[in-house]
Amino acid sequence: MPANDPRAKAPDHVAIIMDGNGRWATARGRPRLFGHQAGARRVSEIVEACPELGVRYLTIFAFSTENWKRTQAEVSGLMTLFRRYILKEAQRLLNKRVRVRFIGDRDRLDPKLVRLMDDLEALTEANDHVHLTIALNYGGRDEVTRATRRLAREVAEGRIDPDSVTAETLGRFLDTHTLPDPDLVIRTSGEARISNFLLWQSAYAEYEFVDTLWPDFTADKFAEILARFGKRERRFGAVIG
Ligand code: IPE
Ligand code: IPE
Ligand code: MG
């Protein structure tokens, strides 16, 4: 990598709260699902921009544990969209050497969708050009709760000594146990909240809240945000310089 290459200061792991699909559609007098379809098309553009921007891990929030509160029509439209996305993009992701993982609680998802998720993970398992993680039926509190339940079971069965439990121990029970923590979390659509995304993992992440609605979020906008990240000073609680 040449000196001054922007990739040298790139965040290794970027997490994105892809928000604003509904407002994007409403502004065009179209149903919300039209916005979700436009949003899904943006995903590939951002994934494919990662290697040249120096981003190795990309995690995207597709559906939260709270999104079941939406109308049945929107929820089932989104579930159909996820199925179609996997079927349509699987080969392309494989060819682009993207490794796909899913995080979130699979128990509430349709078994047919879960099978496609498992198959896509298996299909791309040997890839390591970009690590794409899709958060589907994901909530940070739900993830920590599920992890705690599994950890408690190990303790109850005598396999883990409660006094030996550290943050690292709990981390091993999280859905993200194979991933580094995110360095940068981006949220589109102008909302400045995290809506239950990667609560544990983002303890020292930098945040960028941008007004752009997700279907308008281009690779160029992504690159601009990454350039700003390169200028930030991260301290992790210490005193620098
Ligand atoms: C994000 O867009 C996608 C999902 C939450 C599934 P929204 O659907 O939340 O769009 P807005 O926030 O209503 O505009
Ligand atoms: C967060 O967006 C979830 C996803 C992007 C999948 P929401 O639109 O659901 O969040 P709130 O309701 O505005 O907090
Ligand atoms: Mg929203």
Side-chain angles (χ1 to χ4, degrees), residues 9-241:
K9 285 187 161 183
D12 192 39
H13 184 177
V14 178
I16 307 184
I17 302 171
M18 310 184 290
D19 197 18
N21 295 347
R23 278 164 281 171
W24 186 89
T26 303
R28 285 161 181 75
R30 303 296 299 267
R32 294 176 59 84
L33 215 52
F34 181 69
H36 295 315
Q37 286 158 352
R41 284 195 293 274
R42 277 291 172 215
V43 171
S44 310
E45 176 180 343
I46 300 305
V47 174
E48 287 171 25
C50 284
E52 78 178 69
L53 295 170
V55 175
R56 289 195 309 141
Y57 289 86
L58 179 72
T59 299
I60 55 174
F61 205 2
F63 192 87
S64 78
T65 46
E66 288 72 37
N67 286 148
W68 299 103
K69 294 178 196 162
R70 297 186 178 196
T71 63
Q72 209 257 324
E74 183 169 351
V75 169
S76 67
L78 279 164
M79 295 300 152
T80 303
L81 185 63
F82 299 144
R83 273 206 307 276
R84 290 202 183 130
Y85 178 84
I86 294 173
L87 288 167
K88 182 167 167 285
E89 295 296 317
Q91 198 56 46
R92 190 178 170 91
L93 290 161
L94 180 67
N95 295 344
K96 297 271 174 190
R97 291 191 285 142
V98 179
R99 176 164 183 179
V100 184
R101 294 179 178 86
F102 290 90
I103 55 171
D105 185 1
R106 296 178 191 212
D107 287 354
R108 202 174 163 183
L109 298 173
D110 183 329
K112 276 193 258 152
L113 174 59
V114 174
R115 171 114 43 84
L116 290 174
M117 291 158 60
D118 289 339
D119 288 351
L120 184 58
E121 285 186 336
L123 179 75
T124 61
E125 199 174 31
N127 289 349
D128 63 357
H129 203 43
V130 182
H131 294 261
L132 172 65
T133 302
I134 303 175
L136 216 168
N137 193 26
Y138 174 86
R141 287 185 172 177
D142 178 68
E143 180 193 32
V144 173
T145 306
R146 285 185 287 108
T148 306
R149 204 178 293 139
R150 288 202 298 274
L151 174 56
R153 201 170 291 133
E154 296 287 303
V155 169
E157 291 171 4
R159 285 193 288 272
I160 293 182
D161 170 5
D163 291 325
S164 75
V165 173
T166 61
E168 191 271 325
T169 318
L170 185 58
R172 279 194 268 124
F173 287 84
L174 295 173
D175 297 349
T176 52
H177 62 97
T178 56
L179 306 175
D181 284 344
D183 301 291
L184 172 66
V185 178
I186 299 170
R187 183 174 187 141
T188 58
S189 90
E191 309 295 348
R193 55 176 172 261
I194 55 174
S195 303
N196 206 7
F197 192 42
L198 299 176
L199 296 181
W200 173 277
Q201 299 84 346
S202 300
Y204 268 99
E206 302 289 325
Y207 280 90
E208 282 275 356
F209 298 101
V210 295
D211 288 337
T212 313
L213 302 174
W214 174 253
D216 293 327
F217 192 75
T218 59
D220 285 347
K221 292 203 166 111
F222 187 41
E224 265 171 44
I225 293 175
L226 297 190
R228 284 208 289 277
F229 173 88
K231 299 198 174 75
R232 288 178 178 226
E233 181 187 80
R234 302 178 78 194
R235 301 201 187 113
F236 302 99
V239 176
I240 308 280

